Amino acid sequence: MEKYSKLGNEPIDKLLLTMALSACTGMLTIMLYNTVDTIFIGHFVGSQGIAATTISYPINMLLPTIGMAIGSGAGSLIAHNLGKKNVEQARSFFGNAFTLALALCSLFSGLCYLLKGMILTAFGATGETLAMATGYYQITLIGMPFLGSWMSMNQMLRGEGLARLAVNSMLLSSLLNIVLDALFIAWFDMGINGAALATVISQVTGWCFSVSIFLRKQSAMRMKMKYFVWKKARLVRTLALGGTSFGWQASEAALLILLNKVLLQHGGPMMLAAYGIINRLQTLMVVPAIGLNQSFIPIAAYNFGAQKYGRVVSAFIKTIVYGLIGSYTLVAIVWTFPEFFVGWFTQEKALIDLTVNGLLFVIVCLPLIMLQTTGAAYFQALGQSLSGLLMTISRQMILLVPLLLILPSVYGTDGIWLSFPLANGLIALFTVTIFIPVLRTLGRKEAAIPLPGS
């Protein structure tokens, strides 16, 4: 069990930052799927192409999240069991989670294909946008079972503290995606269908690489039939904890569907294209928050299982501090040169002006969501699934949705953009209020533990 002891013994700063660096690298590479696709589409197809991919984005984000959520829940349980030296139980959680992710992502991908017309129309697609979105959407659905189960494997590798191996698969896949984007879109002039095909091929490649990690026994988990046999208790616990991660992405997807409709109502396809660019840029700016949270979960789960509560408190505080520093550094850079970054995606002057105006509103308080996501990660690490889920959806569903329904009618398009900093500031204040007593309780529990030999 020495190979897992670093989660309970290494200095929190070193452990958190090392794991976060790997996780951030992984998140950046996987985010390149949508970012690079959008860049190529913006330059070779135009704003209509960006609008089309933005329409289908909620489903392309939500389906693999099923696998990611299952893997995240299982990763917490794997880390917790490794902290208690229960390796066989950890392997059973792994096998059940992997097969469940593959099965559910396959099932929902098939349903989404059968209902593609109804889904895209409900998301706001019409006319030429609908035709372009349909081609992109139905091709990317092919890769969803692979992407979902691949994301589950990567989350479980992080549960072991093996984030570097997860990153390697994502680096390979993302680099291949960039090459194929250039080949299919720029060289063969395949448009957004070429972007979709490049993405699917890259996802299947990443999936194969991750499977090989377990087959080559680089992980303590094993791909054996005895671990693939579903056990109800394992599945229930995995899904309960995974609900926190899924709740985040599901609420984001629901928010995007509403936002697409509001954007089309107040500005048409050009407004939708502007948010498509803003969404890609803001996603990149919260990479430190996501990476640190993914690193915090196994650290907190392991140390809570080992009754090292002081390390849990330390990891919680440092995750937030480092996340705020990292995210605000990126925000400051983008805020200083907004036209440069928007220019990655388009050269249309009207679209650049519209996007820059919204971007500066949206990102000013963006890093503050670090507090909410770390709070949700804490509850997930401790197995408190309902609290984690409520914490997860509070910003999107309780704050942002009402603001998006009210403010645009008063302030027009500026009301859409103003909704984001207001929601982010309010959720940060709420999180501080909730967690001050939580951290104090952990401190008291740490002080109550007898010293060895006493």
Side-chain angles (χ1 to χ4, degrees), residues 162-181:
L162 301 176
R164 181 183 59 81
L165 294 177
V167 169
N168 289 344
S169 70
M170 288 187 280
L171 279 172
L172 171 66
S173 179
S174 293
L175 289 173
L176 178 61
N177 185 58
I178 294 171
V179 173
L180 293 178
D181 269 339

Side-chain angles (χ1 to χ4, degrees), residues 128-165:
E128 185 181 354
T129 303
L130 175 60
M132 296 179 72
T134 300
Y136 182 83
Y137 173 86
Q138 60 190 9
I139 294 173
T140 54
L141 281 178
I142 298 170
M144 290 300 112
F146 294 97
L147 180 59
S149 54
W150 174 32
M151 292 298 97
S152 75
M153 287 186 280
N154 286 348
Q155 292 289 345
M156 289 185 281
L157 284 171
R158 291 191 179 94
E160 290 185 71
L162 301 176
R164 181 183 59 81
L165 294 177

Side-chain angles (χ1 to χ4, degrees), residues 411-428:
Y411 299 105
T413 56
D414 283 348
I416 299 174
W417 309 133
L418 185 60
S419 301
F420 289 89
L422 282 176
N424 294 342
L426 289 171
I427 194 60

